[in-house]
């Protein structure tokens, strides 16, 4: 029996690529160059499965194909807002993602960012590396204490819950939650968390706000200038979700005019392009989308894609089917 043909759009961990090459007629992107929408469209006509990731644009235009051969988009990553849902549905494509296996590592990065921005670690490192450190003094780079403060979590899925676990059990933080649907009592109880009805109820009460909701049209600019103005003037905003969730222009104003204490971002609207104004904000920590960037998580994500593919081609429902 001929093996299904599979296109992988980026370089993946070697162990996963080896398994893909063994199980499928796999074409790997050894140059790791992002594919253009027209190359993706072309691939959809030629491969049984396309394995995209967050850097690929699978918008309505890229999915506007007649006679697509691809039956499954097995996404490498938990977020899939780069895939146009109605267009994928119209083509009758199955779409899968890779939840669970990256939750702890992404929450680790969110906690890293929270600590960095509160304790001014980015500023300190920049000062030291530029040779400007003049030594210890009582007033030098004084930050904000984290332990015992209130953390608001927007989106209480797996990553949000892992963030709450670290913050509550590690740092004694009080947890407030905003989530579209009602969170089960026992899930909230694990971190003594309280769910509020509206995001507007959460923002004024928090010393830190961490975003863990999906991206996409529904949450585009969920954090806008009005909502930023609801935050305490010394509160910090952390984003490891998707860049588009924050109106970056509004955030830049809030940071430049000290309307909030600071922000820490792992994701950006239109990344890897970074607004030059963000680079001017000292009270901002930025990382280059490192949430799931551990060997363990990245391998597990790849093997999760393989599980989804083998279920699909064996005629079973893939466990991580999202469309
Ligand atoms: C995801 O999985 O959606 C991340 O953003 C990349 O790990």
């Amino acid at each position: 029996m001929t093996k299904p043909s599979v296109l992988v759009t980026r370089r993946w961990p070697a162990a996963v690529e080896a398994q893909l090459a063994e199980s499928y007629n796999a074409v790997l992107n050894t140059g790791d160059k992002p594919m253009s929408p027209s190359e993706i469209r072309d691939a959809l006509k030629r491969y049984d499965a396309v394995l995209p990731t967050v850097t690929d644009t699978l918008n309505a235009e890229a999915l506007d194909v007649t006679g697509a051969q691809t039956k499954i988009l097995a996404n490498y990553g938990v977020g899939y807002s780069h895939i146009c849902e109605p267009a994928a549905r119209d083509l009758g494509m199955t779409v899968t993602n890779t939840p669970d296996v990256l939750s702890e590592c992404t929450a680790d990065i969110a906690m890293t960012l929270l600590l960095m921005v509160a304790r001014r670690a980015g500023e300190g490192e920049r000062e030291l590396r530029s040779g400007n450190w003049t030594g210890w003094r009582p007033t030098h780079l004084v930050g904000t204490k984290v332990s015992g403060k209130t953390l608001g979590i927007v989106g209480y899925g797996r990553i949000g819950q892992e963030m709450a676990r670290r913050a509550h059990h590690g740092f004694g933080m009080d947890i407030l939650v905003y989530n579209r649907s009602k969170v089960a009592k026992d899930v909230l109880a694990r971190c003594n968390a309280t769910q509020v009805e509206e995001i507007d109820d959460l923002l004024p009460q928090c010393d830190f706000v961490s975003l863990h909701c999906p991206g996409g049209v529904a949450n585009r600019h969920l954090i806008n200038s009005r909502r930023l103005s609801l935050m305490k003037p010394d509160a910090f905003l952390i984003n490891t979700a998707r860049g588009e969730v924050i109106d970056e222009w509004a955030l830049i104003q809030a940071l430049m005019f000290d309307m909030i204490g600071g922000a820490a971002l792992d994701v950006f609207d239109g990344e890897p392009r970074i607004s030059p104004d963000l680079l001017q904000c000292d009270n901002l920590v930025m990382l280059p989308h490192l949430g799931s960037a551990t060997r363990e998580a990245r391998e597990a994500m790849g093997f999760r894609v393989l599980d989804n593919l083998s279920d699909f081609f064996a005629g079973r429902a893939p466990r991580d089917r999202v469309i």
Side-chain angles (χ1 to χ4, degrees):
M1 208 176 86
T2 52
K3 297 175 183 173
S5 59
V6 161
L7 175 83
V8 188
T9 66
R10 297 303 298 261
R11 204 81 234 237
W12 284 17
V16 189
E17 286 190 343
Q19 187 62 57
L20 275 166
E22 196 179 309
S23 309
Y24 298 99
N25 277 325
V27 171
L28 307 175
N29 182 351
T30 49
D32 205 19
K33 199 172 145 272
M35 292 174 68
S36 68
S38 83
E39 286 172 312
I40 302 238
R41 210 175 20 246
D42 202 44
L44 297 173
K45 294 183 192 149
R46 297 171 40 215
Y47 296 90
D48 298 318
V50 170
L51 279 42
T53 191
V54 58
T55 53
D56 297 310
T57 309
L58 287 140
N59 55 15
E61 188 196 336
L63 290 177
D64 184 15
V65 272
T66 38
Q69 180 171 333
T70 300
K71 298 281 175 295
I72 177 168
L73 298 172
N75 187 57
Y76 181 95
V78 65
Y80 56 93
S81 59
H82 52 286
I83 301 174
C84 174
E85 199 166 327
R89 282 189 200 284
D90 281 352
L91 288 173
M93 280 180 188
T94 294
V95 178
T96 58
N97 70 345
T98 60
D100 305 323
V101 291
L102 46 62
S103 304
E104 290 176 300
C105 292
T106 305
D108 289 347
I109 278 286
M111 200 67 216
T112 302
L113 285 172
L114 186 155
L115 291 166
M116 282 181 78
V117 71
R119 299 304 304 273
R120 306 181 65 179
E123 288 173 80
E125 213 212 17
R126 288 196 292 278
E127 180 183 277
L128 188 146
R129 282 183 183 272
S130 62
N132 288 329
W133 183 33
T134 57
W136 191 93
R137 55 199 186 277
T139 55
H140 182 223
L141 284 180
V142 172
T144 300
K145 183 175 175 180
V146 169
S147 296
K149 296 287 175 64
T150 299
L151 169 65
I153 298 191
V154 175
Y156 212 54
R158 286 159 278 224
I159 302 172
Q161 289 171 39
E162 284 296 335
M163 178 63 170
R165 192 158 71 88
R166 281 152 182 71
H168 181 69
H169 295 291
F171 294 85
M173 297 179 90
D174 292 327
I175 309 294
L176 286 182
V177 168
Y178 167 74
N179 193 63
R180 256 180 328 179
S181 54
K182 197 147 177 57
V183 179
K185 270 203 181 105
D186 61 313
V187 174
L188 291 171
R190 284 180 209 148
C191 294
N192 198 21
T194 306
Q195 182 168 11
V196 297
E197 287 291 318
E198 301 292 338
I199 190 166
D200 290 8
D201 301 334
L202 175 138
L203 297 169
Q205 301 186 57
C206 297
D207 303 301
F208 297 87
V209 174
S210 190
L211 306 176
H212 299 282
C213 54
V217 189
N219 286 336
R220 183 166 180 78
H221 294 185
L222 181 74
I223 302 297
N224 52 22
S225 52
R226 187 185 67 77
R227 293 213 165 107
L228 284 163
S229 72
L230 293 177
M231 290 176 67
K232 291 184 188 177
D234 53 358
F236 298 94
L237 178 66
I238 293 101
N239 190 11
T240 53
R242 280 292 180 265
E244 68 261 20
V245 177
I246 299 180
D247 175 348
E248 264 177 21
W249 182 86
L251 178 64
I252 290 161
Q253 303 302 306
L255 292 171
M256 285 190 166
F257 294 101
D258 291 326
M259 290 156 62
I260 60 172
L265 310 174
D266 187 44
V267 285
F268 303 85
D269 205 6
E271 64 185 51
R273 181 200 58 83
I274 302 292
S275 157
D277 290 331
L278 286 178
L279 300 173
Q280 301 305 315
C281 298
D282 261 341
N283 46 355
L284 173 67
V285 174
M286 293 184 281
L287 293 179
H289 205 148
L290 294 181
S292 64
T294 62
R295 183 175 44 75
E296 294 86 345
R298 291 285 165 89
E299 285 188 356
M301 289 159 72
F303 287 116
R304 193 86 176 212
V305 172
L306 274 159
D307 287 350
N308 287 321
L309 279 182
S310 59
D311 279 343
F312 181 81
F313 287 116
R316 297 185 294 269
R319 71 197 280 202
D320 301 319
R321 180 172 185 170
V322 287
I323 297 176

